[in-house]
Amino acid sequence: MTEWPTSTLGRLPIVRADIATTAEAFVRESLDKRGKAGRPFYSTSANGQVLAMCGSEPEFLDLMLAADQIHADGMPMVTYSKLFSANPLPERVATTDLVQAVAREAEAKGATFYLLGAKEEVNRKAVEMLKADYPDLVFAGRRNGYFTRDEEDAVVDEINRAAPDILWVGLGIPLEQQFVARNIERLTNVGVIKTSGGLFDFLSGKNTRAPGWMQAAGLEWVYRAWLEPRRLAMRYITTNPQAISALFRHSA
């Protein structure tokens, strides 16, 4: 994988890369690894919730630092870097935007996808919507995220048999990072792993994204809290101050 420089933001080494470069590198790396059994390249993302958890849960910080690459999936991180960092991030690499760029590149180059996570209907619909937008994109397989630890070995075996070039893991934070940590050395027929949070909810149409101006202003979290107040409002009230503190106290 292309070695990009990083900027330390809220304890984490955040890669200074844009969406287009990342998408091209994902596909190139995944195709280079095709047919070569070994450890996949692992990319994850950080937002305010992640920064807050890294400050309060040392074991989760270790999980994040184990990734090969961490992107900024939060506009406040980008804004902070532009205002205070000597090496600012070029842009926010939101997974909901990244997947589109990777799909275009994968469709053109022949790389395959596997979607793991979400409810069965959401997972199925997410694949259908991607196929509608990218008719030549090949899916090696898909599976919902409802399985027990006792079933996990079978899930890993299923993914290895499918041998996807790019595996999108949407189990939610921190379950997806824990899943990757437990199984990355065994997912030997996968080229690239990308943790995806709630990506499949957006791909399927279950959730909608904030208007562009809110995204640009770093206010997408407000829109999401308005849509899901019971689930998200208290999370943002508690994690946003912690994330802001982490940016100011643990960035370079």
Side-chain angles (χ1 to χ4, degrees):
M1 178 68 73
T2 300
E3 291 293 336
W4 290 298
T6 61
S7 294
T8 301
L9 295 170
R11 299 182 178 88
L12 297 175
I14 305 298
V15 67
R16 298 199 299 272
D18 59 23
I19 291 172
T21 305
T22 301
E24 188 277 331
F26 270 23
V27 172
R28 183 182 68 250
E29 176 78 5
S30 69
L31 292 178
D32 285 347
K33 288 181 176 291
R34 183 182 282 180
K36 304 172 186 176
R39 181 187 182 278
F41 182 86
Y42 169 31
S43 178
T44 191
S45 301
N47 56 17
Q49 179 190 7
V50 168
L51 294 185
M53 290 176 65
C54 285
S56 61
E57 303 176 26
E59 65 279 7
F60 181 69
L61 175 60
D62 290 341
L63 285 176
M64 291 297 296
L65 293 175
D68 297 308
Q69 179 186 76
I70 307 173
H71 283 287
D73 192 351
M75 196 61 198
M77 299 172 67
V78 178
T79 301
Y80 176 92
S81 77
K82 291 184 182 298
L83 291 174
F84 301 107
S85 175
N87 298 293
L89 306 179
E91 67 176 341
R92 176 191 179 195
V93 182
T95 310
T96 42
D97 297 321
L98 178 62
V99 70
Q100 304 294 334
V102 177
R104 286 192 295 272
E105 186 74 11
E107 184 182 44
K109 301 291 179 60
T112 62
F113 277 17
Y114 191 112
L115 269 57
L116 174 68
K119 295 181 179 179
E120 175 63 22
E121 176 61 20
V122 170
N123 185 290
R124 181 187 62 78
K125 187 66 173 178
V127 171
E128 289 179 357
M129 297 296 283
L130 278 174
K131 284 183 174 179
D133 290 337
Y134 308 98
D136 293 327
L137 179 61
V138 177
F139 285 83
R142 67 169 189 87
R143 196 198 190 286
N144 66 62
Y146 287 79
F147 52 88
T148 66
R149 285 289 296 275
D150 289 340
E151 297 171 314
E152 194 165 282
D153 287 348
V155 171
V156 171
D157 290 344
E158 176 187 323
I159 294 170
N160 276 326
R161 284 194 297 272
D165 295 311
I166 303 172
L167 170 64
W168 301 85
V169 182
L171 301 175
I173 300 168
L175 296 180
E176 57 197 25
Q177 286 81 13
Q178 293 167 349
F179 174 87
V180 175
R182 288 194 299 269
N183 297 296
I184 190 167
E185 299 296 340
R186 299 170 55 222
L187 288 165
T188 54
N189 278 350
V190 176
V192 170
I193 296 174
K194 177 69 181 77
T195 59
S196 307
L199 171 65
F200 305 157
D201 288 339
F202 292 99
L203 290 177
S204 68
K206 178 177 179 288
N207 290 347
T208 59
R209 296 200 64 186
W213 69 268
M214 294 189 77
Q215 296 180 42
L219 296 174
E220 190 162 13
W221 65 273
V222 176
Y223 182 81
R224 294 189 63 191
W226 176 69
L227 289 179
E228 300 182 83
R230 289 188 178 181
R231 188 174 75 88
L232 296 178
M234 186 54 64
R235 177 201 294 179
Y236 290 138
I237 288 171
T238 57
T239 61
N240 282 2
Q242 296 175 52
I244 292 170
S245 174
L247 284 173
F248 279 97
R249 295 177 61 194
H250 302 286
S251 298

